[in-house]
Amino acid sequence: MRDFLPADKTRRERVLAVIRERYRAHGFDEIETPVMEEYSRLHAGIGGDNEKLAFNILKRGLDADAVRAAADEPTLDVAALADLGLRYDLTVPLARFYATHRAQLPSVFRSIQIAPVWRAERPQKGRYRQFMQCDIDIIGDATPRAEAELIVASLDTLDALGLEGGSIRINDRRALDGMLDVFGFAADERPGVLITIDKLDKIGPDGVAAELRERGATPDAVDAFEQFLRRPQTREYNPYGERQIRKALPEGIADEVVAHLVALGETVAAARGDAADIPLVFDPFLVRGMGYYTGTIFELAHPSVTYSLGGGGRYDGMIGRFLGQDVPAVGFSIGFERIVDLVSASVAADAASVVLVHDRDVPVAELLAHKAAFVASGTRVRLEQRTKNLKGLLERAANDGYTAFATVSAGAAPGEVEVKSLG
């Protein structure tokens, strides 16, 4: 968990403002949920490995003796000690929110959530115990249009942040399950098999096959999968036709899965206007780790970095855990902590901001009059008394997000000072 100096905070808020504005432009509405959820909800088996990283909150009224007694039990029952926890993502709270307020929401609900989450990570570069998530979700639409809306909105947001050239890798968990079924992997070994497949970029086909054998996966299934990996192929296929999708998958994948992927590619192409220039690729080995995904999954990539900048997928079964009936849902999350470091200073700076550098002898009333004139025009203003090291003062102001400066002398009329760029 980190402190942020003014310059860092200004940068983060500006980037968040751009993300929020683009999400809203695409018809999504912002909601807010509590930072805490019930322990039973956070540990309902739908959060994957994140459940192990949850910060749990002791029940009020427990004394030290009660905690020691619970700790002395052969098996620690955390639920006996904790009834709440800090949210580890925004998807589980959204599912609970929708189940609670469904009657007050439209039949197809487009949600924005921009808020901090907490995980008990081991602190290291790029991994924090408190970090921001920027989610958009569509609940109530089972068609490829929902995924296409999320993809188009996310790419538009990336462009608005000055990070043009992003692309989306897509796959479908049903295609992955079908692939494992075709090769003959047993149902109980598939979670581990998927973990290994997810390492394909890092360890290659030989490493994947070796690790699957070390895991004790079904030998014939590993042999069949290894043979499939070694056939001439590319990792990326344009998802604009059935032939491309079929080429990337083994025989036996359900027609409805292929049809959904093809329809998604065509819908995104129609939304973007030019199919030849659609940054969308089909990757049959894209896994994503969350266990609650039931259909399409996707990741946001950018040529400037080797890691993903966001992702998401369809989780049609989650809301039913709270509502008692399944409701189609799909979401996309931008990796804010990764993106904020890539955004240029010009995008993160305030659109109109000025530092008024004044001499010591300028009356306070005059300074406030100058400031009021700029504020009235929509400009952010900071007053700074002139120092010997004017260059250092201006550099600090630029780092804090200011774009211009003006010097103020005694007797100058408001609006008559010369404004100069800090660029």
Side-chain angles (χ1 to χ4, degrees), residues 72-370:
D72 288 339
E73 293 293 326
T75 301
L76 178 62
D77 181 11
V78 180
L81 297 174
D83 56 356
L84 297 171
L86 294 177
R87 62 190 178 204
Y88 49 72
D89 74 1
L90 297 176
T91 307
V92 174
L94 174 62
R96 191 269 311 154
F97 174 93
Y98 182 84
T100 302
H101 302 286
R102 184 183 188 186
Q104 301 161 266
L105 299 172
S107 57
V108 176
F109 178 49
R110 294 168 175 81
S111 162
I112 301 171
Q113 285 190 96
I114 298 177
V117 299
W118 292 265
R119 296 177 190 171
E121 295 273 12
R122 177 178 296 176
Q124 54 185 291
K125 182 177 177 57
R127 289 189 178 272
Y128 309 108
R129 290 178 173 173
Q130 176 179 316
F131 55 95
M132 293 292 294
Q133 285 195 332
C134 303
D135 289 13
I136 44 175
D137 295 79
I138 298 179
I139 301 175
D141 187 347
T143 71
R145 188 184 78 170
E147 286 103 310
E149 282 196 57
L150 295 175
I151 288 171
V152 170
S154 298
L155 288 172
D156 179 47
T157 301
L158 209 64
D159 290 347
L161 291 170
L163 298 174
E164 296 88 352
S167 62
I168 304 286
R169 306 173 75 84
I170 67 169
N171 196 10
D172 196 302
R173 290 302 288 263
R174 295 170 298 175
L176 281 168
D177 289 340
M179 183 186 299
L180 299 187
D181 187 52
V182 167
F183 294 136
F185 289 102
D188 60 351
E189 65 186 352
R190 291 183 184 180
V193 171
L194 289 175
I195 290 174
T196 299
I197 292 175
D198 201 26
K199 301 177 183 178
L200 184 59
D201 283 333
K202 295 180 179 179
I203 63 178
D206 290 341
V208 167
E211 185 170 312
L212 288 176
R213 292 189 174 92
E214 290 175 5
R215 284 182 175 274
T218 303
D220 290 345
V222 176
D223 291 342
F225 184 49
E226 184 177 17
Q227 184 177 358
F228 178 76
L229 288 176
R230 292 187 183 284
R231 71 192 180 110
Q233 62 180 321
T234 176
R235 282 290 304 278
E236 301 179 351
Y237 298 82
N238 292 329
Y240 309 128
E242 182 177 351
R243 181 175 175 274
Q244 284 280 355
I245 302 297
R246 290 290 186 190
K247 182 180 178 181
L249 296 169
E251 295 183 5
I253 304 301
D255 291 341
E256 65 181 65
V257 176
V258 176
H260 190 98
L261 287 165
V262 172
L264 172 56
E266 292 174 346
T267 305
V268 173
R272 298 276 291 196
D274 182 4
D277 190 37
I278 305 305
L280 195 67
V281 294
F282 174 60
D283 182 350
F285 304 114
L286 176 65
V287 175
R288 291 197 60 80
M290 300 307 296
Y292 52 65
Y293 290 136
T294 59
T296 316
I297 51 177
F298 21 74
E299 282 192 351
L300 176 61
H302 193 268
S304 65
V305 293
T306 58
Y307 47 81
S308 71
L309 295 180
R314 183 166 282 282
Y315 53 98
D316 290 345
M318 182 185 291
I319 294 175
R321 302 283 291 270
F322 304 119
L323 195 60
Q325 65 181 90
D326 283 345
V327 177
V330 59
F332 201 115
S333 180
I334 282 182
F336 175 76
E337 304 297 348
R338 291 181 171 182
I339 283 180
V340 72
D341 292 333
L342 301 177
V343 174
S344 68
S346 61
V347 173
D350 289 305
S353 54
V354 62
V355 174
L356 297 182
V357 181
H358 62 89
D359 295 325
R360 182 190 298 270
D361 62 350
V362 180
V364 173
E366 291 185 15
L367 289 175
L368 295 182
H370 283 288

Side-chain angles (χ1 to χ4, degrees), residues 3 11 15 26 36 38 40 52 58 104 108 123 185 187-188 211 225 281 284 286 313 332 337 352 366 383-384 420:
D3 294 322
R11 182 185 186 86
V15 173
H26 284 268
M36 293 184 293
E38 292 182 4
S40 59
K52 302 174 184 177
L58 287 178
Q104 301 161 266
V108 176
F185 289 102
D188 60 351
E211 185 170 312
F225 184 49
V281 294
L286 176 65
F332 201 115
E337 304 297 348
E366 291 185 15
L383 296 174
E384 289 278 7
K420 299 179 181 179

